[in-house]
Amino acid sequence: MSAVTSVGAVDTSASAVLHRDLKQDPFRIVSSSGFYIKFDDGRKILDATGGAAVSCIGHGDQRVIDAIAAQAKTLDYCHTMFYSCPSAEQLCQQLIESTNGQMAKAFIVCSGSEAMEAAMKLCRQYFIELPVPETNRTHFIARRESYHGTTLGALSVGCHVGRRAVYEPILMQNISHVSPCNAYRNKMDSESISEYVSRLAKEVDDEFQRVGPQNVCAFIAEPVVGAALGCVPAVEGYFKAMKAVCDKYGALLVLDEVMCGMGRTGTMHAWEQEGVIPDIQTIGKGLGGGYAPIAGVLVGHRVIKTLENGSGRFSHGHTYQAHPISCAAAAEVHRIVQSEDLVQNASRMGKYLGSLLKQKLGNNRYIGDIRGRGLFWGIEFVKDKSSKAPFDRELDIAMLVHQKGMDLNDNGGILLYPGTGSVDGKFGDHILIAPPYNVTMDYIDLIVDLTSMAIEVAFEELADRLAN
């Protein structure tokens, strides 16, 4: 932290940035290219997670940089209360076409949290604008061990215990949470998949009944849970069952694809693999590939028609909504993904990544589960494979594996994404692997090798403590 010297001058040697951790400055990245990032100490690290599953086409793609520069020269800002611009129109058209017309309109914002806030507002406005308004609908049902963003509304609907803790007293009270669809942790050995789905559907139905079905706006869920659980996909039939419950009571289905969407799981939209079409969908990280801050909401025909027949407007907006430069960057990223068949590559390479992870790490005594879809994979660590008991929280296993990956200097190092709370929101350690969609088999071989090394080094360091 900056300090005042004896003569009153300010010491600026320390960072002026309010970093997430005030007691330790983060490593400083000075450049990036392709699949690698470079730090100011000269280290070059393989980015196996695209940051937070963001960099879907790698770093430094000149085509996107050129699109950003061209847009900046033409139009730098557009106030969306009064105007639109070509880059926003183009991007939204591309997005709607990517759903084969199943969604009607796109609303572009700057972050996934903003997208979830907008989605929640849309849910409320939809029921207000029905021919016979349903004004009692103010309640949202979501799932435990979920994450939907960090603003107060998004944090409220999510259930990431660690990120909520400090803010619990000021979070929204009109939200309740049901069980996640996490077969590794929660499906009983005696249950079939269909029986497990039926049990979860009954739990959601019971929750509708408890709070009053006439009071529920929407059910909100991630098709593949990212940060909170570590790439846990729903079992077959789960989302069809959730949609049926929503339809039964007239509630909306909101799918959060900020982390798992836009090609990450092997289809452009994760819901394409679930056999359902959401009423509202949030998108984010892979939308702009990290080249500009951007996220969005895709809105279904049911909601749009209701607004068109009602007030004719969405009562919401942001200063930097549909920013021309961000839209130009995302439109070019999307064009590259489409023209180079990168979603198909994500599907193919994802199968290879999953099989190689299971082959090389499946027998590790401290790895309980390896799961994922497309290029979105998680590894969950356990103290005991048979009981699935998690490690003591103070060991911070996932963070240790992440740190050891960064420190593999002789082998170049690897960036992995650590997470906790995969058991109950507090206990449980996992890491995420989410390479760019244009990854090759050679790079996947390297990613798995370096991940294996990081895990091995981490548990070697813990050997004495684990033996006791």
Side-chain angles (χ1 to χ4, degrees), residues 44-57:
K44 187 178 178 182
I45 304 291
L46 177 61
D47 185 1
T49 66
V54 172
S55 298
C56 60
I57 61 170

Side-chain angles (χ1 to χ4, degrees), residues 109-378:
V109 291
C110 296
S111 73
S113 297
E114 289 180 27
M116 182 51 64
E117 296 283 335
M120 294 171 72
K121 283 187 171 183
L122 268 172
C123 289
R124 172 61 178 167
Q125 190 173 342
Y126 165 79
F127 286 106
I128 293 297
E129 302 227 1
L130 287 172
V132 179
E134 300 182 26
T135 58
N136 288 335
R137 290 196 186 256
T138 60
H139 193 90
F140 295 89
I141 299 175
R143 304 188 299 182
R144 294 189 295 275
E145 291 83 71
S146 62
Y147 181 65
H148 298 293
T150 195
T151 52
L152 289 177
L155 196 61
S156 299
V157 77
C159 198
H160 193 296
V161 174
R163 297 179 187 180
R164 285 172 57 107
V166 175
Y167 306 105
E168 286 285 355
I170 59 173
L171 295 183
M172 297 167 62
Q173 300 302 305
N174 58 318
I175 294 165
S176 56
H177 297 92
V178 295
S179 298
C181 184
N182 183 356
Y184 172 69
R185 282 284 168 192
N186 301 329
K187 188 179 84 67
M188 295 183 289
D189 292 339
S190 60
E191 284 181 310
S192 66
I193 293 295
S194 61
E195 289 170 337
Y196 178 48
V197 168
S198 295
R199 175 161 63 88
L200 293 176
K202 183 179 186 305
E203 180 184 354
V204 173
D205 195 296
D206 288 347
E207 185 61 14
F208 269 82
Q209 291 292 335
R210 187 188 73 81
V211 302
Q214 74 281 1
N215 298 322
V216 180
C217 263
F219 176 72
I220 300 175
E222 301 162 87
V224 182
V225 183
L229 280 182
C231 303
V232 172
V235 299
E236 184 177 358
Y238 171 80
F239 277 103
K240 286 184 177 179
M242 298 304 105
K243 182 70 164 63
V245 175
C246 290
D247 289 347
K248 177 180 177 181
Y249 297 114
L252 299 176
L253 174 65
V254 178
L255 294 185
D256 180 351
E257 297 201 7
V258 168
M259 201 171 200
C260 67
M262 296 309 297
R264 172 58 62 188
T265 58
T267 50
M268 182 58 72
H269 305 286
W271 52 260
E272 295 177 78
Q273 301 175 57
E274 303 298 343
V276 301
I277 301 167
D279 295 295
I280 298 172
Q281 170 191 357
T282 58
I283 54 177
K285 302 177 187 299
L287 174 60
Y291 288 88
I294 191 167
V297 183
L298 302 184
V299 191
H301 293 275
R302 169 186 178 186
V303 175
I304 292 299
K305 286 179 180 177
T306 298
L307 266 62
E308 287 176 341
N309 293 331
S311 67
R313 64 192 301 268
F314 178 29
S315 183
H316 180 61
H318 290 278
T319 299
Y320 293 112
Q321 172 186 332
H323 192 279
I325 295 173
S326 292
C327 288
E332 182 62 17
V333 168
H334 186 79
R335 187 196 67 77
I336 291 168
V337 169
Q338 292 283 70
S339 65
E340 298 184 0
D341 292 328
L342 296 187
V343 176
Q344 290 78 7
N345 192 64
S347 178
R348 291 192 300 270
M349 293 298 101
K351 290 181 175 66
Y352 180 63
L353 173 59
S355 65
L356 198 59
L357 286 170
K358 291 175 181 179
Q359 174 189 327
K360 294 207 169 186
L361 295 171
N363 292 325
N364 186 298
R365 63 180 294 191
Y366 297 121
I367 293 178
D369 193 32
I370 299 170
R371 66 290 184 112
R373 257 185 214 167
L375 288 172
F376 199 43
W377 284 84

